[in-house]
């Protein structure tokens, strides 16, 4: 739950709103956060079987959501500073809130609402609790890194574009 909250707060604080400066700290912060979190929580990732498949599926899901988040962000050159800035609005915030809220609900539900059914599924498919935890963490990391790399790439090629109307302009 702490990781879910930290990711949500960090992403929304950095990205939500107009004319958000895209500087070194904005790009490095999620990379450093990932470098600190992954070794603390992923001790022995699954290397075969259903656990590995689950972890890989979570990474793919994280990549897809990260790419969607990138499309909901407008990157352009600030008319006042000439430096790259971004704008993200309601759709962007809603995406992150829904995805991280669903992850948090799953985490809570796995202990309180459907623990027996999940345990049975895990036993039937030989998925360890560590593989499930790692999958959720890897999904968050993939989302955050994809969004960060997309932002950095778009900032590097921003040129003299002006903000376009669209989903991110909400």
């Amino acid at each position: 739950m702490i990781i879910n909250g930290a990711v949500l707060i960090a992403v929304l604080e950095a990205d939500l709103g107009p004319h958000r400066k895209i500087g070194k700290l904005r790009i490095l912060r999620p990379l450093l956060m990932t470098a600190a979190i992954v070794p603390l929580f992923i001790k022995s990732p699954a290397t075969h079987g259903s656990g590995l498949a689950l972890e890989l599926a979570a990474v793919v899901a994280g990549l897809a959501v990260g790419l969607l988040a990138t499309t909901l962000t407008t990157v352009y050159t600030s008319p006042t500073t000439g430096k790259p800035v971004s704008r993200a609005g309601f759709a962007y915030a809603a995406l992150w809130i829904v995805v991280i809220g669903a992850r948090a609900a799953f985490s809570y539900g796995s202990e309180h609402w459907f623990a027996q059914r999940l345990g049975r599924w895990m036993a039937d498919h030989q998925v360890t609790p560590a593989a499930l935890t790692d999958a959720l963490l890897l999904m968050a990391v993939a989302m955050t890194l994809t969004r960060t790399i997309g932002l950095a790439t778009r900032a590097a090629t921003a040129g003299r574009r002006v903000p376009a109307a669209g989903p991110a302009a909400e």
Side-chain angles (χ1 to χ4, degrees):
M1 293 298 183
I2 292 170
I3 293 171
N4 286 328
V7 168
L8 183 60
I9 289 167
V11 167
L12 293 182
E13 185 277 324
D15 296 346
L16 203 55
H19 309 293
R20 305 298 294 190
K21 177 183 167 190
I22 303 173
K24 289 179 185 172
L25 181 60
R26 183 156 172 214
I27 300 302
L28 287 176
R29 181 175 40 184
L31 300 176
L32 295 173
M33 190 169 82
T34 298
I37 288 173
V38 169
L40 285 175
F41 291 96
I42 297 183
K43 300 296 184 196
S44 57
T47 57
H48 65 282
S50 298
L52 176 61
L54 181 64
E55 290 173 358
L56 292 174
V59 168
V60 169
L63 291 170
V65 174
L67 287 172
L68 180 56
T70 300
T71 67
L72 296 173
T73 305
T74 302
V75 176
Y76 58 98
T77 300
S78 169
T80 55
T81 66
K83 304 237 179 189
V85 293
S86 69
R87 176 182 61 212
F90 176 79
Y92 182 87
L95 173 69
W96 282 92
I97 290 168
V98 166
V99 169
I100 292 181
R103 289 168 36 81
F106 177 81
S107 294
Y108 182 84
S110 68
E111 291 186 29
H112 302 290
W113 299 329
F114 48 83
Q116 286 184 336
R117 286 179 292 188
L118 179 61
R120 180 84 242 140
W121 179 87
M122 290 172 66
D124 290 348
H125 294 89
Q126 299 178 349
V127 174
T128 65
L132 182 59
T133 301
D134 291 352
L136 291 171
L137 179 62
L138 290 169
M139 180 185 176
V141 166
M143 285 172 55
T144 303
L145 291 180
T146 302
R147 165 230 160 249
T148 301
I149 292 166
L151 188 65
T153 302
R154 291 172 67 201
T157 61
R160 293 307 254 168
R161 292 190 303 238
V162 295
E170 297 173 7

